[in-house]
Amino acid sequence: MVTGIAIGNATALKSELDWFFKLLDTRIKLHFGHECTYSDIFEITPPELDPSGSMYGHFINHYDLTFAERAVFVLSLVPHIKPHLLDVFLSTDAASSRRFTEFGGRNGTAYQGFLPTGETALFLLAGDDVEKRLSFQYLFDADHFFAQHNILRIEGAGENEPEMSGLLTLSRDIIDLVTTGKMRRPAFSADFPARRLETGLDWDDLVLDPYTLSQVLEIKAWIEHGDELLNDLGLGRKLKPGYRALFYGPPGTGKTLTASLIGKVTGRDVYRIDLSMVVSKYIGETEKNLEKVFQRAEHKDWILFFDEADALFGKRTNINDAHDRFANQEISYLLQRVEDYAGVVILASNMRSNLDEAFTRRFQSIIHFPMPRQNDRLRLWNNAFSEKTPLEAGVDLRKIAAEYELSGGAIMNVVRYATLMTLKKKSRVISLDDILEGIRKELQKEGRTS
Ligand SMILES: Nc1ncnc2c1ncn2[C@@H]1O[C@H](COP(=O)(O)OP(=O)(O)OP(=O)(O)O)[C@@H](O)[C@H]1O
Ligand SMILES: [Mg+2]
């Protein structure tokens, strides 16, 4: 389906590329002293783009890109949408029969076209005017919004090679956004070890004791008002951005569910990273891959949920072998990165083991998810079964809730079991026996018997 914004985007990109091609043509002509209508590329006015007509126009206006920023941005985008526009850079110098050094650029591995580097950008903007070239280097500084907002950066210059010989690299998200008008959600891979958490449940389904709930609501308040607090009230100078919470408690008490629901009610995506997987399987790669997750997440307001976070606590001084040493390194990197992350990070663990002060100090809240008490268990049971499967007369949920100390997760397992058994019998009525058998299985799993 072609949407309005996609059509708008194609038109906007076309006029943008026409403009860019004029810049390029002019720069080449000026450089080689050919006859030319303009005496500088900056005389060529960029097209006016309606911010509401296309995602591309929206982007340009949102960041209020200057001429130079816009030119570099389009240069970086061209290989992704119209690579042959850059073929002129592939021409060779008749005298040396090599490519022109001043154009910069690189060859891809499979890709046959020209890949622009920082040098290409500086050449486009300033030709071989050294002073002018230097004046544009700030575009690639770490504190320019290109880098800060993970839009564009220079990457992959070889060791001891000029920084500007690195490739102009647009983030995947930005390419998607300005070409298709949509942000694609990343898929799980070794390269991106995070998965989006979703839940069909609603806030009202969440059963938490009042103290746990009040702490959870603090996170929600932060998401809703943190920006105002840091920016409008100016506390950003004094406080670290972001919010870090630790959820700890026995399995099945609603830690993952709560993280998903916080995202759902505040309209934020929640990404789950399984730390036990990441830290043991990708040793050495961990840092690199996690950095990608952090970078993508930043400025997109994602909530990062680190599960099985026990890997991060304790044992940090106990180095037995190289594996431990690496793991320790990853852990300090991760703690630091969690602390620097400007959004919401939630860590979840089953045990509050060996939490040292250095660790707890970095967290705004440390929230205990206890086993539900009798009343809460009753609420969970009452809410648990399908409306289409009534309970047989004689099932007293109040009694069951009082008698069996089960977590919300365990209760849902019982419901699954009892409902399956009912369907197997081609019935719709849940029997007490099936519920009790399900409970017995749960208790057995946990090493308890009934
Ligand atoms: N407090 C709760 N309120 C409502 N439902 C709950 C609650 N706790 C658990 N459940 C139910 O049990 C399911 C599993 O819970 P969840 O995955 O959130 O537990 P967890 O604390 O993350 O467990 P683990 O430590 O094993 O990761 C939930 O999807 C939900 O259906
Ligand atoms: Mg969980």
Side-chain angles (χ1 to χ4, degrees):
M1 198 179 75
V2 183
T3 62
I5 205 116
I7 297 173
N9 231 26
T11 320
L13 283 171
K14 187 176 175 309
S15 52
E16 193 76 351
L17 289 175
D18 288 346
W19 169 67
F20 175 79
F21 189 71
K22 263 194 222 160
L23 299 186
L24 190 60
D25 184 54
T26 303
R27 170 55 65 214
I28 299 277
K29 283 181 174 151
L30 292 171
H31 185 64
F32 291 107
H34 298 164
E35 198 176 313
C36 181
T37 342
Y38 306 96
S39 63
D40 192 357
I41 63 159
F42 285 79
E43 292 163 12
I44 310 169
T45 323
E48 292 249 0
L49 298 178
D50 174 7
S52 54
S54 67
M55 191 54 87
Y56 186 78
H58 177 74
F59 173 82
I60 298 287
N61 275 275
H62 174 78
Y63 281 104
D64 198 13
L65 296 191
T66 63
F67 189 107
E69 285 162 353
R70 197 159 156 178
V72 172
F73 183 77
V74 192
L75 172 65
S76 318
L77 189 62
V78 168
H80 301 277
I81 52 177
K82 209 170 185 183
H84 66 260
L85 270 192
L86 300 179
D87 281 356
V88 56
F89 285 134
L90 292 170
S91 52
T92 45
D93 184 351
S96 67
S97 63
R98 291 180 28 197
R99 285 238 303 264
F100 292 90
T101 314
E102 60 266 44
F103 297 167
R106 297 223 204 148
N107 295 323
T109 33
Y111 176 75
Q112 296 287 315
F114 176 92
L115 290 170
T117 57
E119 287 151 348
T120 318
L122 296 181
F123 172 77
L124 176 70
L125 295 173
D128 56 8
D129 182 332
V130 175
E131 200 175 323
K132 225 168 153 193
R133 288 173 74 108
L134 289 174
S135 77
F136 288 117
Q137 296 238 6
Y138 74 94
L139 293 173
F140 308 111
D141 284 350
D143 58 2
H144 188 275
F145 72 86
F146 274 168
Q148 292 252 311
H149 288 207
N150 194 26
I151 294 171
L152 171 79
R153 58 183 89 231
I154 290 189
E155 267 176 12
E159 210 182 328
N160 301 324
E161 286 176 12
E163 197 199 331
M164 289 296 131
S165 66
L167 289 176
L168 288 180
T169 312
L170 281 181
S171 81
R172 188 74 244 167
D173 294 331
I174 291 293
I175 299 170
D176 287 343
L177 187 67
V178 299
T179 54
T180 65
K182 280 197 286 274
M183 200 77 107
R184 211 170 15 181
R185 290 203 168 103
F188 180 90
S189 67
D191 210 32
F192 185 82
R195 227 183 265 282
R196 195 157 86 93
L197 270 187
E198 280 176 293
T199 176
L201 296 178
D202 293 309
W203 194 265
D204 290 342
D205 297 316
L206 185 61
V207 178
L208 293 178
D209 79 53
Y211 185 57
T212 308
L213 181 64
S214 71
Q215 288 178 292
V216 166
L217 289 174
E218 267 177 52
I219 306 178
K220 190 165 157 268
W222 172 265
I223 296 175
E224 283 157 357
H225 305 291
D227 189 49
E228 188 182 347
L229 178 148
L230 290 174
N231 299 317
D232 299 357
L233 305 185
L235 285 176
R237 289 186 302 121
K238 300 178 186 161
L239 299 174
K240 280 214 168 219
Y243 197 95
R244 289 156 287 281
L246 173 71
F247 290 0
Y248 75 99
T253 48
K255 299 179 293 296
T256 304
L257 174 63
T258 301
S260 330
L261 283 174
I262 291 175
K264 190 168 178 179
V265 295
T266 56
R268 306 286 175 93
D269 283 359
V270 183
Y271 278 84
R272 172 181 181 273
I273 298 120
D274 181 341
L275 273 181
S276 63
M277 275 264 293
V278 166
V279 174
S280 63
K281 293 240 171 81
Y282 308 115
I283 287 289
E285 292 289 289
T286 308
E287 240 175 81
K288 215 174 72 208
N289 295 336
L290 285 178
E291 185 54 33
K292 280 184 202 155
V293 177
F294 279 111
Q295 273 187 17
R296 288 187 85 147
E298 223 139 36
H299 303 289
K300 274 206 294 297
D301 295 331
W302 286 354
I303 296 170
L304 293 181
F305 180 71
F306 288 94
D307 220 344
E308 310 283 337
D310 300 81
L312 286 184
F313 322 138
K315 272 228 310 189
R316 252 176 300 152
T317 42
N318 241 340
I319 301 178
N320 292 321
D321 56 17
H323 183 282
D324 287 355
R325 195 183 308 275
F326 275 127
N328 266 347
Q329 244 171 31
E330 308 290 9
I331 288 166
S332 5
Y333 155 79
L334 201 73
L335 283 176
Q336 190 56 49
R337 197 60 180 87
V338 162
E339 194 173 357
D340 291 340
Y341 182 65
V344 173
V345 182
I346 299 171
L347 270 65
S349 123
N350 286 144
M351 291 267 297
R352 192 185 171 182
S353 62
N354 304 327
L355 279 192
D356 55 24
E357 193 261 337
F359 189 90
T360 50
R361 168 163 58 74
R362 301 169 198 247
F363 283 73
Q364 274 66 51
S365 52
I366 297 192
I367 308 179
H368 183 215
F369 283 68
M371 283 295 277
R373 282 195 268 211
Q374 185 176 335
N375 267 345
D376 286 339
R377 294 201 293 272
L378 181 59
R379 274 170 72 200
L380 287 161
W381 279 114
N382 278 333
N383 211 354
F385 288 95
S386 160
E387 283 162 14
K388 295 182 181 152
T389 53
L391 308 179
E392 110 186 318
V395 175
D396 183 355
L397 290 180
R398 192 172 289 277
K399 188 157 168 267
I400 290 174
E403 209 155 310
Y404 302 103
E405 204 198 2
L406 294 174
S407 69
I411 289 174
M412 289 319 296
N413 285 340
V414 175
V415 168
R416 182 201 312 262
Y417 173 81
T419 308
L420 267 178
M421 291 306 114
T422 306
L423 292 178
K424 217 173 110 190
K425 285 181 269 186
K426 308 231 179 317
S427 162
R428 282 284 153 132
V429 182
I430 309 255
S431 75
L432 179 62
D433 282 350
D434 285 336
I435 296 178
L436 292 179
E437 177 60 15
I439 292 176
R440 204 185 56 78
K441 282 166 163 297
E442 280 308 302
L443 294 176
Q444 210 172 36
K445 253 200 248 171
E446 295 166 22
R448 299 188 278 164
T449 43
S450 76

